[in-house]
Each structure stands twice: as C-alpha cells, then as structure tokens.
C-alpha cells in the first residue's frame, strides 16, 4: 500500500506541487517557442513525455554499468537516439506539425527537464518508478504547454486547433485578435501569470 502511495506521488507531484516549468523553472525556452498554436504545443508535449519516460527506463536499466565519468555522455546518446525516432515518426505521420516544430524537436536533447530527471531520479531508481517519474514530469510540462498554447492561439488568432472559435459577429462588432499574443514574450507573460496564480493558492510554494 505504501509503495502504491509512493508511485502515486511520483506521477502526481510534477503536475502541480513540483511542476518542472512553473516550480523548477525548467524547459522555458521551448514553452516560448512552440506555443503560438495549440496543436504544436500538444505534439511537443507528447514528444517530451515519450522521450522522457523511455530514456528514464533505459538509463535506469543500465545505471549500474555506466562509468561515472561518462554518464552524461551516455544519457545524451540515449536521449538523442529517442529524439531521432520521435522526429522520424512525426515526419512520417504528422509532417505539417513537424515542419511547425522545426528544430525544436531536436532541441529536446538539451531540455533541462530530461537531463535533470535522468541524473536525479533514473540513475538511482528502478525502471518502473523511473518510467512513472518520466511520465509525471512530461505531463507536468505538457499541461503548461497546453495552457499557454490555448491562451495564445485563442486570443492571438481566434482559433483552437485551427478551427475558428470566436464567432464572426464579434469581429463584425469591432473585436480584433491580439497580435501580441503570438509573439514569444507573451508566452513568458502567460507563464508568469500561471506561476502567480499557483503560488497564490499554494502557500508551500511561496517561499521557494
């Protein structure tokens, strides 16, 4: 029972209490770059979940055989291999989104969240908890991407997933899309608002 409780905290804590983006302030660069539209934000989040979960498992399986002085290199090789696989799958089955994400899929390799979880968790834990940790942190990252992408696309373009959401009569009565929303600085402002709201309602985070 205690073990199940521990597994639950491993996967749920990164969703809010220890979110990698708004609490640990990691992975901010990709949040700024890929959230002008909701679709690439979702795909980027799913890609990070897959790479993080399976790289955690692989590193956990071989952790006792990795020489300490080259462990970072081994981690990078594992992550790079998984990123190549994800990138090829996107090009095969979601080519348009792959073009929108451009180099940012490749830059998953340098995402601080991945290297942080590999070093801090996978190197010292068994495969199953490592898998859950990867999924939890990936979901925490994805939730923020989706929120930011939702807000920016809705108010910046009046659409969601490419479909018109704000009705035409609003535009007929003078409503205009906020062009600032599709610029990268607005992503940082939206993330800052999420951090402010979260810490306002969570006293444990106010001293961090």
């Amino acid at each position: 029972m205690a073990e199940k409780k521990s597994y639950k905290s491993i996967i749920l804590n990164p969703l809010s209490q220890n979110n990698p983006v708004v609490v640990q302030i990691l992975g901010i660069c990709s949040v700024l770059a890929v959230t002008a539209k909701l679709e690439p934000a979702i795909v980027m989040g799913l890609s990070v979940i897959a790479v993080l979960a399976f790289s955690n498992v692989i590193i956990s399986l071989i952790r006792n055989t990795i020489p300490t002085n080259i462990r970072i290199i081994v981690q990078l090789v594992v992550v790079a291999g998984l990123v190549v696989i994800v990138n090829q799958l996107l090009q095969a089955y979601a080519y348009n989104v792959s073009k929108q994400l451009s180099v940012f899929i490749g830059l998953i390799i340098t995402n601080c969240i991945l290297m942080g979880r590999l070093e801090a968790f996978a190197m010292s834990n068994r495969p199953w908890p490592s898998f859950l940790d990867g999924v939890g942190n990936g979901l925490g990252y994805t939730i923020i991407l989706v929120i930011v992408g939702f807000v920016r696309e809705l108010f910046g373009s009046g659409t969601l997933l490419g479909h018109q959401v704000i009705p035409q009569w609003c535009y007929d009565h003078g409503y205009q899309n906020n062009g600032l929303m599709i610029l990268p600085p607005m992503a940082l402002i939206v993330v800052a608002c999420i951090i402010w709201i979260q810490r306002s309602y969570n006293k444990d985070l106010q001293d961090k």
Side-chain angles (χ1 to χ4, degrees), residues 161-182:
L161 296 174
H163 300 289
Q164 189 68 37
V165 172
I166 297 177
Q168 184 58 43
W169 63 263
C170 291
Y171 295 101
D172 295 339
H173 286 77
Y175 177 83
Q176 291 186 353
N177 294 325
N178 186 344
L180 288 174
M181 274 291 178
I182 61 176

Side-chain angles (χ1 to χ4, degrees), residues 2 32 45 51 83 90 99 131 151 170 184:
L32 304 184
V51 173
V83 168
L90 287 178
K99 284 181 67 178
F131 177 79
V151 172
C170 291

Side-chain angles (χ1 to χ4, degrees), residues 94-146:
Y95 183 70
N96 290 333
V97 180
S98 176
K99 284 181 67 178
Q100 290 180 55
L101 291 172
S102 183
V103 299
F104 296 104
I105 285 292
L107 289 176
I108 291 175
I109 298 168
T110 62
N111 193 311
C112 300
I113 299 171
L114 276 91
M115 299 309 297
R117 297 324 299 167
L118 292 176
E119 188 70 11
F121 198 93
M123 285 294 291
S124 55
N125 287 276
R126 290 172 295 149
W128 179 241
S130 297
F131 177 79
L132 294 179
D133 179 78
V135 171
N137 279 274
L139 283 172
Y141 170 83
T142 302
I143 286 170
I144 303 303
L145 252 68
V146 169

Side-chain angles (χ1 to χ4, degrees), residues 7-38:
Y7 290 162
K8 186 177 179 181
S9 67
I10 287 172
I11 199 168
L12 293 182
N13 278 352
L15 302 186
S16 177
Q17 188 73 20
N18 197 28
N19 187 279
V21 179
V22 297
V23 176
Q24 301 178 46
I25 318 298
L26 300 174
I28 292 292
C29 294
S30 54
V31 174
L32 304 184
V34 303
T35 54
K37 300 285 184 181
L38 184 56

